[in-house]
Amino acid sequence: MATQGVSAKKRFEKPKKAYRKVAKYQQYEKNVRQDYAHQTSHHLVANDAYDLYVFEALKIQTMTKRPQAKTDAQGRFLPNKATAKAGLNRAILSSAWGPVVSFTTYKALRQGKLVITVPPAYSSQECAVCTFTSPDNRPSQAAFVCQRCGHTDHADHNAAVVIAKRGIQKLLSGDPLTKAHKTTRIFRKLGPERSEVTPGEIG
Ligand SMILES: [Zn+2]
């Protein structure tokens, strides 16, 4: 029997199939991320050389917010690097930062090790040796050159030392370590901070 056009049934079948396909990929992506977070956290905690792990308390929600639309005097839209930001958002989310921190925390606790988080502000601009903080300390994405004491290092390594020092300071300060307490700190405006998160960098 010949039918004219597309039957209602057929019309609804196609999208359903597409939705299932998308859902399948989303589930796959989630599995990959979980798997990655489990492997990374295991790798970190299994290393007998370390008893203390310090993470930057990255505010994933703020970092992944869409950038504000920019308009010129006539109200026309200007490029606001939304596409670049979208790529960065994906990188942050897919880097599974949150799960890596939480998995490391519980796995470490099981072995009597400690995980703490510290404020991330300007960790990429601060000198690990003399604490001088300036965007000028970063002549490029990879390089750190302190404009006060001349200390040079790979920018990621310098930032890691800064974060570790902040962790030790927090440990020694007697502040509560596990419960996130809300404090407002005013940091001197030092110019835009480069994000250090790139896919595959952690671990
Ligand atoms: Zn310095």
Side-chain angles (χ1 to χ4, degrees):
M1 188 180 74
T3 46
Q4 285 253 305
V6 186
S7 73
K9 190 166 179 264
K10 209 159 195 174
R11 249 190 296 142
F12 285 111
E13 256 172 13
K14 268 205 166 163
K16 250 191 197 166
K17 208 173 169 188
Y19 289 141
R20 269 203 301 274
K21 213 169 183 180
V22 170
K24 218 173 100 183
Y25 281 124
Q26 283 172 340
Q27 185 58 45
Y28 173 75
E29 201 186 307
K30 197 180 161 192
N31 291 346
V32 169
R33 210 160 38 218
Q34 291 278 105
D35 197 48
Y36 168 82
H38 274 298
Q39 284 183 26
T40 306
S41 54
H42 174 81
H43 178 79
L44 286 171
V45 171
N47 191 331
D48 287 335
Y50 304 111
D51 293 318
L52 171 67
Y53 302 88
V54 185
F55 285 94
E56 280 189 309
L58 290 178
K59 292 178 190 71
I60 293 166
Q61 237 146 40
T62 350
M63 289 176 79
T64 54
K65 237 168 74 179
R66 276 181 66 205
Q68 288 267 308
K70 275 190 214 159
T71 49
D72 64 12
Q74 282 79 43
R76 286 179 302 221
F77 287 103
L78 296 169
N80 66 349
K81 300 198 174 86
T83 315
K85 190 78 202 313
L88 177 65
N89 291 347
R90 271 197 300 278
I92 293 162
L93 293 172
S94 65
S95 74
W97 186 263
V100 168
V101 177
S102 62
F103 294 172
T104 306
T105 304
Y106 83 77
K107 286 175 190 178
L109 272 175
R110 286 201 302 220
Q111 297 197 27
K113 297 180 171 188
L114 186 62
V115 172
I116 58 181
T117 55
V118 294
Y122 302 108
S123 58
S124 63
Q125 298 178 8
E126 184 180 321
C127 174
V129 174
C130 75
T131 75
F132 178 66
T133 307
S134 165
D136 300 337
N137 290 345
R138 294 289 303 281
S140 74
Q141 180 67 22
F144 188 94
V145 182
C146 179
Q147 299 303 299
R148 186 163 76 185
C149 77
H151 169 64
T152 58
D153 197 350
H154 189 285
D156 290 338
H157 186 260
N158 178 76
V161 176
V162 169
I163 292 156
K165 281 189 165 181
R166 287 183 187 180
I168 290 163
Q169 270 167 19
K170 188 173 177 179
L171 197 61
L172 296 176
S173 73
D175 284 348
L177 294 173
T178 45
K179 204 89 203 135
H181 57 128
K182 289 211 162 69
T183 52
T184 309
R185 284 192 200 178
I186 296 158
F187 288 93
R188 202 159 56 86
K189 206 87 192 118
L190 289 159
E193 190 177 22
R194 286 195 195 92
S195 175
E196 300 304 311
V197 181
T198 49
E201 203 175 78
I202 307 153

